[in-house]
Amino acid sequence: MDKKDKRYDAYLRILNKELIPAMGCTEPIAIAYCAAVARDTLGTWPDRVEIYVSGNIIKNVKSVIVPNTGNKKGLEAAAAAGIVAGNAARKLEVIAQVSVEQIEQMTRFLDDIPIRVMFADTECPLDIEVILYHGQDSARVHIMQEHTNIVLIEKNGEVLIKAEPQNAPGTKGLPEASGQDDYGLLCMEGIFDFAQTVAIGDVRQLLDQQIEYNTAIAREGLARDYGANIGSVLLKAYGSDIRTRAKATAAAGSDARMDGCELPVVINSGSGNQGMTVSLPVIEYAKETGAGQETLYRALVLSNLAAIHQKFYIGRLSAYCGAVSAGAAAGAGITYLLGGGYSHICHTIVNALAITSGIVCDGAKPSCAAKIAASVDAGILGYEMYRNGQQFYGGDGVLAKGIENTLRNIGRLGKDGMKDTDKEIIRIMSDC
């Protein structure tokens, strides 16, 4: 792809927007960020707090430990962390630096300050509103569609900042906004071309950070007792061949992240789990095959953009498990490392999606690691199928002829078809 091609700069902008560091599961961290901005707006700690959130936020916050809180879980803990210790300027690393004294203050804050959590009246899957009160003063901050996308800041009823909701990936039908056209330029043919030809200097720093951060948390997940220890179980049960290591490293990173590990990850499509899934299996295969650093970079460009392309249709949050699209994308990156061409990569993705597209998202929690392992396995199997002359065809279930048609069908399934499934999952979780 020539640098004069408008897709070249668009794809770079997408990578720089999507591959950013975050510490902790991004939904509770988004609440902490929203609360920290509200505290800064109020100018003091509140004497009461109201939080309005969409069902998907509740789903993804309920069961994960918020890092740097002393092993606390839940929306209240996330908000308290942001209010007491948040540095709003750091966005998704808002509570990356917290002292022991601040953790103790969080505990007292949760004991002393009323925090009311309510469902938001919204059709937006990612919707967070935090209102802080101190006497007669109030501050209100509203985030929509993306984890740090502030659409409203008010103080004492006066609007300080107001922005139209962005037309984020997976939110078609909302008002047009800057950057939306970039995502519309994504297609697998363009992604493959870009991965082969991008100047490595344009992506090196971004991908070096992804390799460093995500490898570190995977190593931590394997070394210690986190969550259900899926990564360690895989290695103990099935040995340490490359296929198992590829699954185990990604699962171990999730083990650690869901259980409150205080190491950052580089995310993909707003998700740390997806960021680890698209990168760690590819990194493991690069080590195994002795691929050079440039080849690894190009494989990671491919896997990252393939995942983002799928999520454009599905949306940030859905009842469709994000590990599925990320696992298929990892399969594409692995296929590239092993010498596969464009057709091989497309068939790998389609085969993988045919296998795992029924996995639902029932919130962030320890079992995410197992779903990641299953999705990476499907990505690897998708490659092995095509290598051995086997494939699934258009007309098999939701698959269509041509990869772009299949991706649109998968997006339709995840975004529209699973809306009622999502609501039922949230109702079930609310009863537990």
Side-chain angles (χ1 to χ4, degrees):
M1 183 181 292
D2 191 281
K3 282 194 174 187
K4 294 179 181 178
D5 189 319
K6 66 178 181 179
R7 294 175 299 174
Y8 189 96
D9 284 341
Y11 289 8
L12 283 179
R13 285 193 295 269
I14 290 170
L15 287 171
N16 279 282
K17 178 181 178 181
E18 298 284 357
L19 273 59
I20 58 175
M23 194 194 71
C25 180
T26 47
E27 280 71 51
I29 295 304
I31 291 172
Y33 170 63
C34 192
V37 174
R39 177 213 58 209
D40 290 347
T41 303
L42 186 65
T44 187
W45 285 13
D47 50 36
R48 61 188 175 98
V49 179
E50 292 180 358
I51 307 171
Y52 298 85
V53 288
S54 56
N56 272 277
I57 298 297
I58 292 175
K59 183 174 75 172
N60 284 332
V61 177
K62 179 183 178 184
S63 301
V64 293
I65 292 174
V66 184
N68 280 333
T69 63
N71 292 322
K72 296 178 178 63
K73 293 182 180 181
L75 287 95
E76 294 89 349
I83 292 165
V84 171
N87 178 354
R90 298 196 65 180
K91 295 191 174 181
L92 291 181
E93 295 181 284
V94 60
I95 52 171
Q97 294 180 323
V98 177
S99 67
V100 173
E101 180 185 5
Q102 287 174 319
I103 293 174
E104 293 171 353
Q105 289 172 333
M106 288 177 212
T107 301
R108 293 195 295 271
F109 186 93
L110 288 165
D111 288 340
D112 297 341
I113 304 301
I115 302 178
R116 187 182 178 198
V117 177
M118 290 158 283
F119 276 102
D121 182 15
T122 179
E123 290 297 317
C124 179
L126 199 167
D127 200 317
I128 302 167
E129 187 173 354
V130 174
I131 307 174
L132 307 184
Y133 300 90
H134 183 83
Q136 298 300 310
D137 293 324
S138 66
R140 176 187 178 201
V141 178
H142 192 185
I143 286 174
M144 289 183 70
Q145 297 170 344
E146 297 186 19
H147 294 81
T148 58
N149 182 40
I150 293 174
V151 296
L152 180 69
I153 299 178
E154 288 182 355
K155 183 172 184 181
N156 295 330
E158 179 186 354
V159 174
L160 304 180
I161 292 175
K162 186 172 184 179
E164 290 295 330
Q166 292 184 10
N167 198 0
T171 56
K172 296 176 183 178
L174 293 171
E176 289 296 326
S178 176
Q180 171 70 3
D181 288 345
D182 288 349
Y183 291 85
L185 292 173
L186 288 171
C187 66
M188 283 309 305
E189 186 174 9
I191 289 168
F192 179 72
D193 187 7
F194 179 76
Q196 287 190 298
T197 57
V198 62
I200 295 301
D202 289 340
V203 295
R204 180 183 287 112
Q205 184 175 357
L206 198 64
L207 297 177
D208 279 345
Q209 186 177 56
Q210 185 178 54
I211 294 166
E212 178 188 353
Y213 283 18
N214 295 2
T215 299
I217 198 169
R219 190 181 299 121
E220 172 72 6
L222 289 171
R224 296 180 58 189
D225 181 15
Y226 285 105
N229 291 297
I230 299 299
S232 298
V233 168
L234 284 167
L235 293 173
K236 289 176 182 177
Y238 303 112
S240 58
D241 64 272
I242 180 55
R243 293 173 181 83
T244 305
R245 292 202 315 273
K247 294 181 284 186
T249 53
S254 179
D255 285 326
R257 186 169 170 272
M258 296 292 95
D259 210 34
C261 178
E262 293 161 8
L263 291 175
V265 302
V266 169
I267 66 176
N268 180 295
S269 303
S271 165
N273 279 345
Q274 290 169 58
M276 291 183 290
T277 304
V278 299
S279 59
L280 289 165
V282 179
I283 294 166
E284 283 300 310
Y285 264 85
K287 293 176 187 174
E288 177 73 10
T289 61
Q293 195 70 11
E294 179 176 332
T295 304
L296 172 58
Y297 287 144
R298 296 192 185 283
L300 287 173
V301 167
L302 176 66
S303 61
N304 277 292
L305 285 174
I308 293 165
H309 182 32
Q310 293 174 71
K311 291 293 285 184
F312 174 77
Y313 296 113
I314 298 167
R316 287 283 196 232
L317 299 176
S318 163
Y320 185 97
C321 177
V324 171
S325 47
I334 290 167
T335 300
Y336 183 89
L337 280 176
L338 298 177
Y342 174 67
S343 176
H344 202 159
I345 285 164
C346 290
H347 282 288
T348 295
I349 292 174
V350 171
N351 288 342
L353 293 175
I355 298 166
T356 49
S357 282
I359 298 177
V360 299
C361 173
D362 54 341
K365 63 207 172 304
S367 68
C368 289
K371 294 179 181 181
I372 286 170
S375 298
V376 172
D377 187 71
I380 296 169
L381 177 56
Y383 160 76
E384 293 292 351
M385 284 178 61
Y386 194 67
R387 190 170 73 89
N388 285 278
Q390 304 298 322
Q391 67 181 81
F392 300 119
Y393 294 91
D396 291 347
V398 297
L399 303 187
K401 186 176 181 179
I403 188 168
E404 299 301 332
N405 291 325
T406 291
L407 295 186
R408 278 189 283 271
N409 283 357
I410 295 296
R412 180 180 168 187
L413 170 68
K415 185 173 183 290
D416 299 323
M418 299 181 82
K419 275 185 178 179
D420 287 341
T421 301
D422 206 25
K423 292 175 183 177
E424 191 61 32
I425 289 170
I426 293 164
R427 283 192 289 267
I428 290 169
M429 291 180 67
S430 298
D431 290 340
C432 293

